[in-house]
C-alpha cells in the first residue's frame, strides 16, 4: 500500500512538471492559456523599434524647443517668436507619437499629465506670472504647464506684435515660458534615459501572462489611451458626447486652433501603427497586436477580429476627413460631425477592449467612468 502511494505521488509530480513546462509558466512566450506566440519578441519589437526611437525623436524636438525658447528670451523679437511658435507646433505634433506610452518612468512621473492636461487653467497661469513664484513639479499644477500652457501663452494675446507687447510689459511672461519648456524637456529626457537604460530590459524580460506582465499591463494602458485620451479627450469632451452640451473650449491646442485636427490624426496614426507593429525607422513590420491576433485566429479558426479592427480604422479615417482643421470651429459650426467621429471611435473601443483583449486572454484592469 505504501509503495503504491509513493508511485502515485511520483507520477503526479511528473505530470504537474510536464504541464508546467508545456504551459510556459510566467517566464516565456508560451502563455495565455498555452499559446506559443513569442511575447518576448513582441515586447522587444515594441521597445527597440517603436517606443525607444519615438522617445529619442521627441526628445530631440523638446531640446530644440527649450533652446529656441531661451534664444527668444535673449532676443525677444518678432522673428524669434515666430520661430518659437513653429517649434511649439512641431514638438506638440511629435508628442502625439509617445503620449500613449504611459508605463515605466512615464507612469511614475505622471508624464502625460504634466505635458498635456487641457484645458489649461489660464487664471492660475496669470496669477503665477504676476507673483513670479511657482513650482511646476507639483501635481496640483498639471493644468498650468506643458503644451497647453504654451498654447495659451503664445497664441491667446493676439498677433505677434500684440503678444510681444504683453511680454515687454512684464518679463515674467517669458520667464514662465522658459520654465515650461525646460520642464517639458527635463521630463522627456528622464523618460527617454530610463528606456535607454535598465527599464528596456525590465520591460522586455517580463513576459509573464499574469496581470503584472508587460503585455497585460501595457495593453491595458494602450486601450485606455485610445478610449480616454484619444476618443474622449480629443473628440468626446469637446463634442459634449457625455453631457449633451458641446464644449469647444475643451479642444486640444485651443488657442493655436488650426493644429487641433492634425494632433488628433497624428495620435490616431501612431496608435494604428503600433497595432500593426510598424517600426519607426522603417523595415518590415515586427510583432504586435495584429500578428498576435492573427496567430490566435489561425490556431482556433475563429472569426477574423483583425478584419473588423482594420475596417473600423478605415471608417474612422473616412469620417475624420470631414472634420475642419480647427476642431473648435467644427464644434461651433457643425458639431454633428464631431459626434459622428466619436461614434466611429467608440466602435473601435469595443473591438479593442472586448474582442481583442478577450482573444488574447487579457483582463481589463481600469475603470470605465463614461457610462459606455
Amino acid at each position: 500500500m505504501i509503495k503504491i502511494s509513493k508511485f502515485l505521488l511520483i507520477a503526479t509530480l511528473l505530470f504537474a512538471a510536464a504541464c508546467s513546462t508545456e504551459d510556459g509558466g510566467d517566464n516565456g512566450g508560451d502563455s495565455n492559456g498555452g499559446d506559443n506566440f513569442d511575447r518576448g519578441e513582441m515586447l522587444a519589437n515594441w521597445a527597440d523599434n517603436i517606443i525607444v526611437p519615438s522617445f529619442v525623436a521627441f526628445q530631440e524636438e523638446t531640446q530644440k524647443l527649450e533652446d529656441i525658447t531661451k534664444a527668444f528670451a535673449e532676443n525677444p523679437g518678432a522673428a524669434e517668436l515666430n520661430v518659437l511658435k513653429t517649434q511649439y507646433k512641431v514638438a506638440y505634433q511629435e508628442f502625439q507619437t509617445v503620449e500613449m506610452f504611459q508605463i515605466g518612468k512615464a507612469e511614475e512621473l505622471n508624464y502625460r499629465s504634466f505635458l498635456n492636461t487641457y484645458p489649461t487653467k489660464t487664471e492660475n497661469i496669470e496669477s503665477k506670472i504676476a507673483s513670479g513664484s511657482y513650482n511646476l513639479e507639483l501635481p496640483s499644477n498639471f493644468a498650468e504647464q506643458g503644451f497647453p500652457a504654451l498654447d495659451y501663452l503664445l497664441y491667446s494675446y493676439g498677433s505677434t506684435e500684440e503678444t510681444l507687447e504683453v511680454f515687454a510689459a512684464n518679463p515674467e511672461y517669458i520667464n514662465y515660458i522658459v520654465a515650461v519648456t525646460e520642464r517639458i524637456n527635463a521630463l522627456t529626457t528622464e523618460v527617454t534615459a530610463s528606456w535607454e537604460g535598465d527599464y528596456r530590459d525590465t520591460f522586455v524580460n517580463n513576459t509573464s501572462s499574469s496581470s503584472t506582465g508587460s503585455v497585460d499591463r501595457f495593453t491595458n494602458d494602450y486601450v485606455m489611451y485610445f478610449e480616454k485620451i484619444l476618443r474622449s479627450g480629443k473628440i468626446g469632451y469637446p463634442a459634449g458626447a457625455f453631457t449633451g452640451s458641446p464644449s469647444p473650449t475643451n479642444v486640444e491646442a485651443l488657442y493655436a486652433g488650426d493644429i487641433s485636427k492634425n494632433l488628433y490624426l497624428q495620435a490616431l496614426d501612431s496608435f494604428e501603427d503600433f497595432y500593426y507593429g510598424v517600426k519607426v525607422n522603417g523595415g518590415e513590420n515586427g510583432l504586435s497586436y495584429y500578428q498576435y491576433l492573427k496567430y490566435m485566429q489561425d490556431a482556433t479558426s475563429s472569426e477574423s477580429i483583425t478584419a473588423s479592427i482594420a475596417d473600423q480604422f478605415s471608417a474612422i479615417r473616412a469620417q475624420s476627413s470631414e472634420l475642419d482643421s480647427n476642431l473648435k470651429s467644427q464644434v461651433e459650426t457643425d458639431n454633428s460631425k464631431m459626434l459622428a467621429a466619436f461614434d466611429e471611435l467608440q466602435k473601435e473601443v469595443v473591438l479593442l477592449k472586448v474582442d481583442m483583449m478577450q482573444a488574447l486572454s487579457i483582463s481589463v484592469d481600469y475603470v470605465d467612468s463614461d457610462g459606455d
Side-chain angles (χ1 to χ4, degrees):
M1 195 70 175
I2 294 175
K3 289 182 179 179
I4 294 174
S5 298
K6 287 182 177 179
F7 174 80
L8 289 174
L9 176 61
I10 291 171
T12 300
L13 291 173
L14 289 173
F15 178 78
C19 289
S20 177
T21 301
E22 193 172 328
D23 287 344
D26 278 349
N27 298 316
D30 193 5
S31 54
N32 278 355
D35 77 71
N36 291 303
F37 188 80
D38 195 337
R39 294 157 69 96
E41 183 180 342
M42 181 170 71
L43 289 168
N45 180 56
W46 286 354
D48 299 337
N49 298 313
I50 305 176
I51 299 175
V52 174
S54 294
F55 270 114
V56 168
F58 179 53
Q59 200 277 322
E60 290 176 358
E61 299 304 335
T62 64
Q63 184 64 60
K64 290 179 185 177
L65 181 63
E66 180 182 333
D67 293 344
I68 289 171
T69 301
K70 290 180 175 178
F72 169 67
E74 290 292 325
N75 184 26
E80 289 76 14
L81 178 57
N82 288 330
V83 170
L84 174 54
K85 287 181 175 181
T86 297
Q87 183 58 28
Y88 149 81
K89 291 181 178 180
V90 170
Y92 208 174
Q93 188 86 8
E94 193 71 27
F95 173 68
Q96 308 300 318
T97 69
V98 302
E99 190 177 19
M100 74 183 97
F101 304 135
Q102 185 80 343
I103 193 169
K105 183 63 69 173
E107 181 180 23
E108 177 187 328
L109 296 174
N110 286 312
Y111 179 70
R112 182 166 60 215
S113 297
F114 276 118
L115 264 66
N116 202 32
T117 295
Y118 59 93
T120 196
K121 293 182 178 178
T122 59
E123 298 87 350
N124 292 7
I125 291 174
E126 294 291 349
S127 176
K128 283 177 168 55
I129 290 172
S131 68
S133 177
Y134 39 85
N135 180 2
L136 298 182
E137 295 184 8
L138 299 175
S140 58
N141 292 335
F142 282 156
E144 295 152 32
Q145 60 184 291
F147 289 103
L150 291 180
D151 180 55
Y152 169 69
L153 291 165
L154 296 177
Y155 289 93
S156 71
Y157 303 121
S159 66
T160 296
E161 291 72 20
E162 291 169 325
T163 302
L164 289 173
E165 289 176 6
V166 171
F167 293 172
N170 185 356
E172 281 300 325
Y173 278 95
I174 295 179
N175 292 338
Y176 196 85
I177 294 172
V178 170
V180 169
T181 59
E182 284 178 335
R183 180 138 176 82
I184 290 173
N185 190 37
L187 288 169
T188 303
T189 299
E190 189 171 355
V191 174
T192 304
S194 175
W195 274 104
E196 292 184 308
D198 294 339
Y199 186 68
R200 180 269 176 202
D201 289 344
T202 299
F203 178 77
V204 170
N205 292 334
N206 187 6
T207 57
S208 166
S209 60
S210 71
S211 61
T212 59
S214 291
V215 173
D216 288 49
R217 287 192 63 221
F218 181 84
T219 301
N220 270 280
D221 292 341
Y222 177 75
V223 174
M224 182 175 68
Y225 167 78
F226 187 88
E227 181 179 3
K228 304 296 185 182
I229 307 301
L230 206 160
R231 180 209 63 168
S232 298
K234 299 180 190 298
I235 300 295
Y237 290 128
F242 308 107
T243 63
S245 300
S247 181
T249 57
N250 280 330
V251 166
E252 190 173 23
L254 173 65
Y255 300 96
D258 61 350
I259 66 170
S260 52
K261 179 184 177 180
N262 285 340
L263 297 179
Y264 159 61
L265 291 179
Q266 180 64 69
L268 181 63
D269 285 346
S270 298
F271 185 92
E272 184 177 3
D273 284 349
F274 192 93
Y275 168 81
Y276 284 108
V278 176
K279 298 177 180 178
V280 170
N281 295 323
E284 184 178 350
N285 292 358
L287 296 185
S288 194
Y289 294 113
Y290 171 76
Q291 293 80 5
Y292 199 171
L293 286 170
K294 287 288 289 182
Y295 171 87
M296 295 301 291
Q297 288 166 187
D298 292 344
T300 61
S301 300
S302 60
E303 294 183 8
S304 181
I305 299 172
T306 53
S308 298
I309 291 174
D311 288 346
Q312 192 54 39
F313 274 129
S314 296
I316 292 169
R317 294 191 178 284
Q319 194 286 322
S320 297
S321 67
E322 301 177 9
L323 297 175
D324 191 274
S325 61
N326 186 329
L327 297 184
K328 177 176 180 289
S329 297
Q330 185 65 70
V331 172
E332 293 171 335
T333 58
D334 185 1
N335 192 48
S336 65
K337 291 182 179 179
M338 287 286 283
L339 291 171
F342 175 85
D343 289 342
E344 295 300 335
L345 291 165
Q346 174 58 20
K347 293 174 187 175
E348 194 75 286
V349 167
V350 174
L351 290 168
L352 296 168
K353 190 175 179 180
V354 179
D355 297 45
M356 183 180 84
M357 292 183 72
Q358 285 184 355
L360 302 182
S361 298
I362 298 173
S363 299
V364 176
D365 67 6
Y366 66 93
V367 177
D368 178 4
S369 60
D370 293 332
D372 54 359

